[in-house]
């Protein structure tokens, strides 16, 4: 739909009392790395932890009426990464692995992909149509999955200027943190993102800045810019928070825009958070705030688009520690349940899917009462991290969590993932779909 037609439709609806003119809403839940095995194992895990019958137990989204399989390959890989897969969902185009919302005719690292023919993302379309928008993640807000909503980059690693090569900076095609801050500028209506919550403070702070939570940490930007200050100065009514107390003091029924960056890099695993570590909201808390905030901001006749990523499911699988992946998926399921309690499904589409699967295996012949954690395994290769320590699979919630997941290699998996749908337009989800067709379903439903 063209911007012109969108505006004509909005103008017509301003003069109409028809319920068909009430703008629609969509919430996209993405469980990063949440393949079929992770879902099945989490279902049993949650039941066992709560003394429920695992044979009949279901996660919240497994009760959705419409389900389909989704093919996740990218144009250059049978087994994909988060950049290529989320770009497909956000733009409606299959692309290469490792790139953010650009077309596949350009090689990775080619800045022409950003300037010559970038596909518009769902969030760009929504912003131009006057919708309110929000992005939530438990990873860095500049990580591949959230970045695909607002950014265009020939390399997913270019999260800040210190990670972006000089040639790209000179050509002006890099730095996803800067793109997030400037999202919406130059567009027809200049909406920008209304709400961003997650981790990744270091990409927004200069190297001269001390992190507000960890005095030993500094920002990562070499250009000397404090992007948080720059964002706050754009107009009145902007709020930045970096800890739980500040977050809980925000008014979800307030106006303006909110930026919450709760860690220098990824947010904590939920298992760490419930043990008392850190000072940050849970995925459920962020989900509830976001929906109340966007519902209020959009008003009776306005629409909104919200993406919520359970990012650390994938990190738990990468680390080969099932308890982390499963507890993250439980929290993700709770966030979906919370969302359903807050929205009107007559005007809201809720999709739950994964960008790709992970290579966790649920094998053997475990007896009915065997703890699920004893039945899970991963492909075997070296687990020696940079610090020289061996890392083994944790089978207990009491297992220490002293490791760096990013230092442990572990593959994704290439099988189809599921998409679950409920609410407005959910009937469009059925059969087996190419991943980029999720863009069309969302676009045709709300835009």
């Amino acid at each position: 739909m063209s911007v012109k037609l969108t505006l004509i439709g909005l103008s017509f609806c301003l003069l109409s009392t028809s319920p068909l003119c009430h703008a629609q809403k969509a919430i996209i839940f993405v469980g990063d790395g949440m393949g079929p095995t992770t879902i099945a194992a989490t279902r049993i895990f949650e039941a066992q932890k709560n003394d429920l019958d695992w044979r009949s137990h279901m996660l919240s989204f497994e009760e959705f009426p419409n389900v389909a399989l989704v093919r996740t390959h990218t144009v250059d890989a049978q087994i994909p990464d988060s950049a290529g897969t989320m770009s497909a969902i956000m733009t409606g185009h299959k692309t290469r692995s490792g790139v953010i919302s650009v077309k596949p005719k350009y090689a990775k690292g080619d800045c022409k992909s950003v300037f010559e023919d970038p596909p518009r993302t769902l969030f760009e379309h929504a912003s131009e149509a006057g919708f309110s928008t929000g992005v939530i993640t438990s990873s860095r807000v500049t990580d591949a999955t959230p970045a695909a909503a607002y950014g265009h980059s020939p390399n997913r690693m270019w999260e800040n200027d210190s990670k972006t090569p000089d040639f790209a900076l000179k050509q002006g095609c890099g730095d996803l943190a800067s793109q997030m801050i400037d999202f919406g500028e130059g567009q027809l209506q200049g909406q920008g993102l209304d709400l961003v919550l997650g981790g990744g403070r270091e990409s927004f702070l200069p190297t001269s800045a001390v992190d507000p939570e960890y005095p030993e940490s500094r920002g990562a930007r070499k250009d000397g810019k404090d992007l948080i200050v720059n964002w706050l100065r754009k107009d009145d009514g902007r709020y930045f928070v970096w800890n739980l107390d500040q977050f809980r003091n925000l008014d979800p029924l307030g106006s303006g825009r909110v930026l919450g960056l709760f860690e220098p890099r990824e947010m904590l695993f939920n298992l760490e958070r419930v043990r008392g570590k850190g000072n940050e909201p849970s995925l459920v808390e962020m989900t509830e705030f976001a929906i109340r905030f966007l519902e209020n901001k959009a008003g009776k006749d306005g629409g909104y688009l919200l993406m919520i990523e359970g990012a650390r499911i994938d990190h738990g699988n990468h680390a080969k520690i099932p308890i982390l992946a499963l507890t993250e998926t439980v929290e993700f399921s709770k966030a979906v349940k919370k969302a359903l309690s807050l929205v009107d499904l007559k005007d809201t589409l809720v999709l739950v899917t994964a960008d790709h699967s992970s290579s966790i295996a649920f094998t053997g012949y475990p007896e009915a009462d065997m703890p699920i954690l004893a039945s899970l395994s991963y492909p075997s290769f070296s687990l020696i991290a940079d610090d020289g320590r061996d890392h083994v699979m944790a089978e207990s919630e009491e297992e220490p969590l002293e490791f760096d997941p990013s230092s442990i290699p572990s593959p994704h998996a290439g099988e189809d993932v599921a998409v679950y749908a409920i609410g407005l337009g959910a009937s469009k989800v059925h059969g087996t779909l190419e991943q980029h067709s999720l863009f069309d379903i969302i676009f045709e439903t709300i835009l």
Side-chain angles (χ1 to χ4, degrees), residues 7-22:
L7 292 177
I8 292 174
L10 289 174
S11 298
F12 170 78
C13 286
L14 289 175
L15 302 175
S16 172
T17 58
S18 169
L20 296 176
C21 280
H22 291 180

Side-chain angles (χ1 to χ4, degrees), residues 274-336:
V274 298
R275 291 183 185 178
K277 185 178 179 182
N279 185 19
E280 60 195 47
S282 67
L283 191 65
V284 171
E285 289 177 289
M286 291 192 292
T287 297
E288 179 174 5
F289 178 88
I291 293 174
R292 292 188 185 279
F293 180 81
L294 293 176
E295 287 274 359
N296 181 69
K297 192 173 182 67
K300 180 181 177 181
D301 298 323
Y304 67 79
L305 179 63
L306 173 62
M307 191 284 292
I308 301 170
E309 182 197 19
R312 307 227 69 185
I313 299 169
D314 192 45
H315 298 170
N317 280 326
H318 276 300
K320 298 181 179 62
I321 299 185
I323 188 66
L324 295 178
L326 301 194
T327 51
E328 288 297 313
T329 309
V330 168
E331 178 71 9
F332 180 79
S333 176
K334 290 179 179 178
V336 174

Side-chain angles (χ1 to χ4, degrees), residues 198-201 213-214 261-268 278 280:
R201 279 195 302 263
E213 187 173 10
Y214 306 103
L261 299 174
F262 302 106
E263 288 287 335
R265 293 184 59 76
E266 297 83 8
M267 293 182 69
L268 299 179
E280 60 195 47

Side-chain angles (χ1 to χ4, degrees), residues 26-287:
I27 303 174
I28 311 161
F29 281 92
V30 180
D32 199 310
M34 190 183 71
T37 305
T38 299
I39 291 173
T42 303
R43 179 197 311 139
I44 299 172
F45 172 78
E46 185 177 50
Q48 289 180 337
K49 292 294 295 179
N50 293 283
D51 295 323
L52 302 173
D53 178 14
W54 59 264
R55 298 166 184 83
S56 60
H57 183 64
M58 290 190 289
L59 301 178
S60 63
F61 50 85
E62 291 187 284
E63 301 186 64
F64 285 16
N66 289 83
V67 183
L69 292 176
V70 176
R71 297 176 178 176
T72 64
H73 62 89
T74 55
V75 298
D76 59 349
Q78 296 175 13
I79 299 178
D81 76 329
S82 296
T85 51
M86 193 60 181
S87 293
I89 297 172
M90 286 292 104
T91 68
H93 295 270
K94 288 271 190 180
T95 190
R96 299 175 184 268
S97 292
V99 302
I100 301 293
S101 295
V102 296
K103 291 184 179 178
K105 64 182 180 181
Y106 300 95
K108 184 177 180 181
D110 187 349
C111 283
K112 288 187 294 185
S113 64
V114 175
F115 300 120
E116 291 186 355
D117 191 25
R120 301 194 70 70
T121 72
L122 280 171
F123 279 78
E124 287 174 309
H125 286 293
S127 178
E128 289 182 341
F131 281 37
S132 299
T133 53
V135 172
I136 294 176
T137 180
S138 51
S139 184
R140 308 174 306 281
V141 297
T142 51
D143 203 358
T145 301
Y150 61 78
H152 300 275
S153 176
N155 191 318
R156 62 174 288 177
M157 303 304 293
W158 298 354
E159 295 185 44
N160 56 58
D161 68 321
S162 66
K163 291 185 176 181
T164 307
D166 289 341
F167 79 86
L169 293 174
K170 290 177 181 178
Q171 294 180 32
C173 78
D175 192 354
L176 289 163
S178 293
Q179 289 190 44
M180 195 200 84
I181 293 297
D182 294 334
F183 179 78
E185 295 187 2
Q187 295 182 20
L188 182 61
Q189 296 198 6
Q191 294 292 313
L193 294 168
D194 295 290
L195 175 69
V196 178
L197 302 174
R201 279 195 302 263
E202 69 175 17
S203 288
F204 297 83
L205 296 173
T207 55
S208 60
V210 176
D211 185 83
E213 187 173 10
Y214 306 103
E216 69 279 9
S217 298
R218 291 181 174 271
R221 301 195 64 82
K222 65 181 182 181
D223 59 6
K225 295 180 180 179
D226 187 324
L227 296 187
I228 297 171
V229 171
N230 292 352
W231 179 83
L232 287 169
R233 288 175 175 170
K234 286 181 181 293
D235 53 53
D236 295 333
R238 292 178 180 246
Y239 303 90
F240 169 69
V241 296
W242 60 266
N243 62 46
L244 182 59
D245 294 335
Q246 294 173 351
F247 175 77
R248 288 179 174 170
N249 283 329
L250 290 170
D251 181 5
L253 302 183
S255 58
R257 303 178 195 271
V258 173
L259 172 62
L261 299 174
F262 302 106
E263 288 287 335
R265 293 184 59 76
E266 297 83 8
M267 293 182 69
L268 299 179
F269 283 107
N270 193 59
L271 186 55
E272 296 177 289
R273 188 188 58 78
V274 298
R275 291 183 185 178
K277 185 178 179 182
N279 185 19
E280 60 195 47
S282 67
L283 191 65
V284 171
E285 289 177 289
M286 291 192 292
T287 297

Side-chain angles (χ1 to χ4, degrees), residues 269-446:
F269 283 107
N270 193 59
L271 186 55
E272 296 177 289
R273 188 188 58 78
V274 298
R275 291 183 185 178
K277 185 178 179 182
N279 185 19
E280 60 195 47
S282 67
L283 191 65
V284 171
E285 289 177 289
M286 291 192 292
T287 297
E288 179 174 5
F289 178 88
I291 293 174
R292 292 188 185 279
F293 180 81
L294 293 176
E295 287 274 359
N296 181 69
K297 192 173 182 67
K300 180 181 177 181
D301 298 323
Y304 67 79
L305 179 63
L306 173 62
M307 191 284 292
I308 301 170
E309 182 197 19
R312 307 227 69 185
I313 299 169
D314 192 45
H315 298 170
N317 280 326
H318 276 300
K320 298 181 179 62
I321 299 185
I323 188 66
L324 295 178
L326 301 194
T327 51
E328 288 297 313
T329 309
V330 168
E331 178 71 9
F332 180 79
S333 176
K334 290 179 179 178
V336 174
K337 183 177 180 179
K338 175 58 70 174
L340 293 180
S341 72
L342 297 170
V343 301
D344 184 349
L345 293 175
K346 293 179 182 178
D347 64 12
T348 307
L349 170 64
V350 179
L351 288 182
V352 178
T353 190
D355 48 358
H356 56 77
S357 186
S358 293
S359 56
I360 186 173
F362 182 20
T363 57
Y365 298 94
E367 296 179 353
D369 59 352
M370 179 178 288
I372 182 66
L373 292 173
S375 306
L376 301 172
S377 62
Y378 296 84
S380 60
F381 29 54
S382 174
L383 302 184
I384 304 298
D386 293 340
D387 58 8
R389 291 180 288 123
D390 287 314
H391 294 269
V392 298
M393 180 179 69
E395 296 186 358
S396 166
E397 291 193 41
E398 284 67 51
E399 195 76 20
L401 301 178
E402 297 178 359
F403 63 92
D404 176 8
S406 65
S407 68
I408 307 171
S410 179
H412 293 162
E415 68 265 22
D416 296 351
V417 299
V419 56
Y420 305 84
I422 193 170
L424 183 74
S427 61
K428 298 173 185 176
V429 172
H430 55 81
T432 299
L433 306 171
E434 288 290 352
Q435 195 163 44
H436 63 281
S437 67
L438 297 181
F439 170 93
D440 298 316
I441 291 172
I442 299 165
F443 186 94
E444 292 168 3
T445 299
I446 70 167

